[in-house]
Amino acid sequence: MGKKFHIITYGCQMNKYDSDALRGLMESRGHRWTESVDEADIVIVNTCAVRQHAEDRALGRIEEIIGHKKRKPSLVVGIMGCVAQEHGERLFEKIPGLDFVVGTDNLDVVADIAEGKLKPGAYTSINKNFLGIDAAAHIEPGQVSAFITIMRGCDNFCSYCIVPYVRGRERSLPPERILQQVRYAVSRGVREITLLGQNVNSYRWEDVDFPALLDMVAQVEGVCRLRFVTNHPKDFTPKILDVVEKHGEKIPPAFHLPLQSGSDRILRLMNRKYTLSDYMRIIEEIYRRFPDAAITTDIIVGFPGETEKDFESTLAAMRDVGFAGVFAFKYSVRPGTAAAKLEDDVPEAEKIRRLRTAIDLGIELARQFSQKHIGKVFPALVEKKSPKNPGKLAATLPSGRTVLIDENFAEIGDIVPVKITDAKVWVLRGEVVEK
Ligand code: 5AD
Ligand code: SF4
């Protein structure tokens, strides 16, 4: 008899993909998805360990769900993902009532646990060859955009980052398996694919490198838009830009290129393996080829030893690039990482002030970027009805910004030319025009 299950996802897009793949696997084995935690026989929480705050939120949610056992003692509650891998069996002591712990290399055991083929317990062994759940990831009816993981793990060991410890060594998926997933998604009506990896630029399967893979995916019939995240400045090459250029509007010039800090001293302590001038050279090359490029970034403030001067360099770099979007984070010590040995010496109040300052500047830059769209015409991919604006459809521009358009002039899944009439920070308004 199939079980009713629900998955709650925290963290990055790769976790979202893993949850969708697990959903696909569970459904293929006869279990049924439910939107409601109250109705579920099994609830699995997919967790993120990248910052302490993310970890605390996920654990808090699990405790809350375990509370439902009072009403429904048969409820099974499991944890998967990065926090599961990080703490393993210890989670049973920490969270009474937890039934199973499934690490990042063992996601496929969840279905066996659900079916009683495996005992509930901790499954966190390291499997260097695990390439993810081998099931077609779930796709909602009418879903226009889908993520596809092309590589797992990370070998970069940025000094602050827990990912290499919880997601293990970097491994790429064979191109054929990726293409099969892309074809499946397209056959279900998906028009936009986003290729995912901790550092997609270091993708390699035999002689297929990332630019070659990107070129292959762009040629799959039915792929109308193609994006990719995340890039690493040390591995970002002009060959990638050649492929973007070759495929014109199909691969929009939108690049997420995490800078982390604008100070060379901090970049060295972070083990990022590039300097600010290396980074700026890439930016110049991107803008030279794509003057309208949308470049987004991640910034960490309050890294150990970060002085006011270092922080000012980060703000200056943000202005110089003119980022389209900035994700700023407060440094969070991750046990076991190299940076955890450094003194976490920036006072909390100062970290908060720097975070606020970086966020505010990020918002101002985002507004300026959005306003540059006004008066121009762009192809917009219609994603869905706007949840908050009756009568409007939400469409995505090449830059990644959302534009709201009148629902009488397009259908979900269409790519329509839209003239931008107004711009807030993240959301624009526009009118569908003749080609
Ligand atoms: N503290 C704060 N931010 C972090 N990130 C990764 N590890 C940490 C940490 N320990 C940020 C980086 C990365 C993004 C996904 O999360 O900016 O690019
Ligand atoms: Fe973490 Fe650096 Fe790997 Fe990104 S590249 S996942 S920041 S170690």
Side-chain angles (χ1 to χ4, degrees):
M1 238 279 278
K3 299 268 170 63
K4 279 196 204 161
F5 70 99
H6 184 79
I7 307 170
I8 295 164
T9 308
Y10 288 93
C12 63
Q13 289 152 336
M14 279 193 278
N15 268 11
K16 171 88 180 75
Y17 176 83
D18 283 342
S19 294
D20 287 347
L22 179 59
R23 177 170 172 184
L25 173 69
M26 295 284 281
E27 286 177 337
S28 74
R29 304 242 303 230
H31 304 291
R32 275 164 303 144
W33 172 264
T34 169
E35 282 298 330
S36 141
V37 170
D38 286 342
E39 275 183 16
D41 306 311
I42 305 174
V43 177
I44 308 137
V45 181
N46 192 358
T47 54
C48 171
V50 79
R51 284 170 292 276
Q52 187 65 45
H53 178 67
E55 197 170 314
D56 294 345
R57 264 178 60 208
L59 294 180
R61 189 72 203 275
I62 293 174
E63 281 168 353
E64 183 207 318
I65 289 163
I66 288 172
H68 289 239
K69 287 192 175 194
K70 286 202 195 87
R71 176 183 52 79
K72 187 175 184 179
S74 63
L75 177 68
V76 173
V77 181
I79 175 170
M80 66 189 264
C82 295
V83 178
Q85 188 66 42
E86 183 191 3
H87 295 299
E89 246 169 8
R90 278 175 306 194
L91 287 166
F92 291 125
E93 285 160 41
K94 218 170 149 159
I95 312 175
L98 181 66
D99 295 290
F100 66 84
V101 176
V102 168
T104 45
D105 286 346
N106 297 268
L107 302 177
D108 45 358
V109 306
V110 175
D112 288 338
I113 297 174
E115 290 156 19
K117 293 179 188 147
L118 282 175
K119 285 204 304 277
Y123 296 86
T124 53
S125 61
I126 299 209
N127 173 1
K128 290 200 304 286
N129 301 320
F130 181 69
L131 293 179
I133 290 172
D134 194 8
H138 170 80
I139 289 169
E140 285 289 316
Q143 186 178 326
V144 171
S145 187
F147 298 121
I148 290 180
T149 296
I150 64 166
M151 59 176 332
R152 302 181 75 85
C154 183
D155 286 350
N156 291 314
F157 291 93
C158 300
S159 65
Y160 50 81
C161 185
I162 200 167
V163 167
Y165 303 91
V166 291
R167 283 192 166 261
R169 295 291 58 73
E170 186 177 292
R171 56 223 113 125
S172 296
L173 276 73
E176 199 35 59
R177 182 159 156 182
I178 296 164
L179 292 170
Q180 202 185 326
Q181 298 256 4
V182 172
R183 287 191 209 104
Y184 172 75
V186 168
S187 77
R188 300 294 305 261
V190 165
R191 321 234 21 213
E192 178 181 74
I193 299 287
T194 303
L195 303 179
L196 294 179
Q198 300 295 345
N199 172 10
V200 290
N201 306 150
S202 58
Y203 174 90
R204 178 167 282 278
W205 178 268
E206 293 171 358
D207 55 357
V208 181
D209 61 2
F210 179 65
L213 178 78
L214 192 62
D215 192 30
M216 283 157 101
V217 175
Q219 289 176 47
V220 172
E221 211 183 312
V223 173
C224 301
R225 280 241 176 114
L226 179 57
R227 300 177 186 274
F228 49 92
V229 280
T230 283
N231 299 288
H232 194 307
K234 80 178 168 57
D235 299 312
F236 194 90
T237 60
K239 259 179 85 183
I240 300 169
L241 298 178
D242 293 345
V243 179
V244 175
E245 215 159 23
K246 173 177 169 192
H247 292 284
E249 278 171 8
K250 207 177 252 195
I251 312 181
F255 307 97
H256 186 63
L257 203 58
L259 170 65
Q260 311 297 3
S261 170
S263 150
D264 284 345
R265 195 177 64 84
I266 297 295
L267 286 172
R268 209 173 321 113
L269 288 172
M270 287 177 163
N271 192 31
R272 289 290 286 178
K273 303 189 178 85
Y274 54 84
T275 61
L276 179 61
S277 53
D278 296 333
Y279 187 90
M280 286 303 182
R281 260 195 300 278
I282 304 171
I283 299 299
E284 276 163 29
E285 181 66 9
I286 293 175
Y287 282 141
R288 191 179 66 75
R289 297 205 201 186
F290 310 100
D292 287 338
I295 305 173
T296 52
T297 206
D298 294 344
I299 295 290
I300 297 177
V301 303
F303 186 83
E306 187 189 66
T307 61
E308 182 60 28
K309 199 162 152 257
D310 294 319
F311 177 60
E312 290 290 335
S313 310
T314 301
L315 297 176
M318 284 169 61
R319 286 190 207 97
D320 286 349
V321 177
F323 285 116
V326 176
F327 301 89
F329 307 104
K330 207 158 53 112
Y331 171 68
S332 163
V333 184
R334 302 287 63 213
T337 60
K341 297 192 189 77
L342 305 172
E343 193 192 343
D344 185 14
D345 57 355
V346 180
E348 182 62 16
E350 181 57 17
K351 278 189 189 168
I352 292 171
R353 186 194 68 80
R354 289 182 194 173
L355 181 65
R356 194 64 257 164
T357 309
I359 290 174
D360 287 347
L361 175 58
I363 291 173
E364 180 48 32
L365 296 174
R367 187 204 330 277
Q368 290 171 14
F369 179 79
S370 288
Q371 287 188 339
K372 285 199 287 192
H373 290 73
I374 295 176
K376 296 187 190 164
V377 177
F378 297 96
L381 172 60
V382 184
E383 302 268 353
K384 58 183 178 198
K385 282 186 178 231
S386 165
K388 289 190 210 142
N389 302 274
K392 296 283 179 196
L393 294 170
T396 309
L397 297 170
S399 63
R401 286 293 197 269
T402 297
V403 62
L404 299 176
I405 56 176
D406 193 302
E407 69 181 358
N408 296 316
F409 295 102
E411 302 282 331
I412 290 171
D414 285 352
I415 295 184
V416 287
V418 172
K419 182 167 186 180
I420 309 303
T421 53
D422 186 26
K424 296 267 178 340
V425 176
W426 303 109
V427 179
L428 289 70
R429 285 180 184 263
E431 287 158 9
V432 178
V433 291
E434 294 294 317
K435 266 187 207 149

